[in-house]
Amino acid sequence: MDLVELPDPEPGDGEVVVEVARAGINFADTHATRNDYLAEQSLPMIPGGEISGRTPDGRRVAAILGGGGYATHVSVPEGWLVPVPDAVSDEQAASLLLQGLTAHALIYRCARLEQGETVVVQAAAGGTGTLAVQLAKRAGARVIALASSEPKRELASRLGADATVDSRAEDLKAAILEANGGEQVDAVLEMSGGETFEACLRTLAPFGRLVVFGNASREQNAVPTGHLMRHSRAVIGFWLMHLVPHREVVAEMIGDLLAAVASGELEVVVSDVYPLSEARRAHEELAGRRTLGKLLLDPSS
């Protein structure tokens, strides 16, 4: 990625040019810049799917984008703008859209967690994971957090995880079952792929759900239908882009998240804010799993 000067965008019909205060960085962005994600990419490309900022008339807003967020200004359809409450900062707002919606959808729409169930949250110290841990607790679930270092596991515990497991354990399946008192679990939020996928699948109890929302290892998995029937297990895929067109549903979910942050019920963990010129380094840190919580870009620096 190179930092370049471009003309300010011209708004089309029904669009507003937003001055970007913060742009969110997501793991999917690292896939997009390598062109190995779900949607085909082409050059030239400006990454970035979420921003917070201000409109020319002074309104504080946030928005999900199809791309272009790593910039000082971006043109956004008026209907996509989300008003940001005074009690929510620019950093919190830019952190809540893609990863907040993902965590919310994983807990309530895909895993459909019920009171008293147990859920395993992978990458529990990441942007999505930190929110998923808290939302799962709010849903009344027991949370087992997976993370690769002690500081990350400590963060997950502080946010409410009932137990933590080293995600790099030699026998991950056994470690998860031990953390759950020897019992199988009801749901797994899976974003790793490869061997981690296989281990987590085999921790599921009958009627357990493994929800796939990422593939950090870039290793594909195949599941025999006989295995699913024999154990009454489900594998569910989730891509946020299929939710985004449902504007009323998304607005309700975002409203719930913003209200929870404004009231202090939900904590947004921001790890680092990078200058726009250091977007490449931010991607390297994120892909190397050397970060906690959410990463953001500040286009003004």
Side-chain angles (χ1 to χ4, degrees), residues 125-272:
T128 301
T130 52
L131 296 171
V133 167
Q134 296 174 78
L135 293 174
K137 291 302 297 180
R138 186 171 75 159
R142 169 179 165 78
V143 177
I144 300 174
L146 269 55
S148 60
S149 69
E150 189 58 36
K152 291 182 178 182
R153 293 190 288 275
E154 289 175 356
L155 172 60
S157 294
R158 182 177 69 76
L159 294 174
D162 299 280
T164 63
V165 171
D166 186 343
S167 59
R168 298 179 179 178
E170 185 174 346
D171 188 340
L172 184 57
K173 173 187 172 183
I176 292 172
L177 295 178
E178 181 180 357
N180 199 38
E183 298 294 325
Q184 294 176 314
V185 304
D186 299 294
V188 177
L189 309 186
E190 213 287 324
M191 52 74 63
S192 298
E195 293 181 358
T196 299
F197 175 102
E198 299 294 343
C200 287
L201 176 64
R202 283 156 178 78
T203 66
L204 289 176
F207 306 110
R209 293 85 67 196
L210 187 143
V211 185
V212 180
F213 69 102
N215 185 22
S217 70
R218 295 178 166 85
E219 297 177 27
Q220 297 290 328
N221 295 84
V223 181
T225 53
H227 174 92
L228 299 179
M229 292 187 292
R230 189 175 302 114
H231 299 281
S232 293
R233 291 168 174 162
V235 176
I236 303 162
F238 175 74
W239 188 21
L240 184 62
M241 291 305 100
H242 290 134
L243 180 63
V244 169
H246 301 275
R247 309 303 298 178
E248 292 184 3
V249 174
V250 169
E252 182 178 346
M253 294 167 69
I254 291 176
D256 183 33
L257 290 164
L258 288 171
V261 170
S263 69
E265 181 185 357
L266 185 64
E267 177 181 346
V268 176
V269 179
V270 176
S271 172
D272 287 295

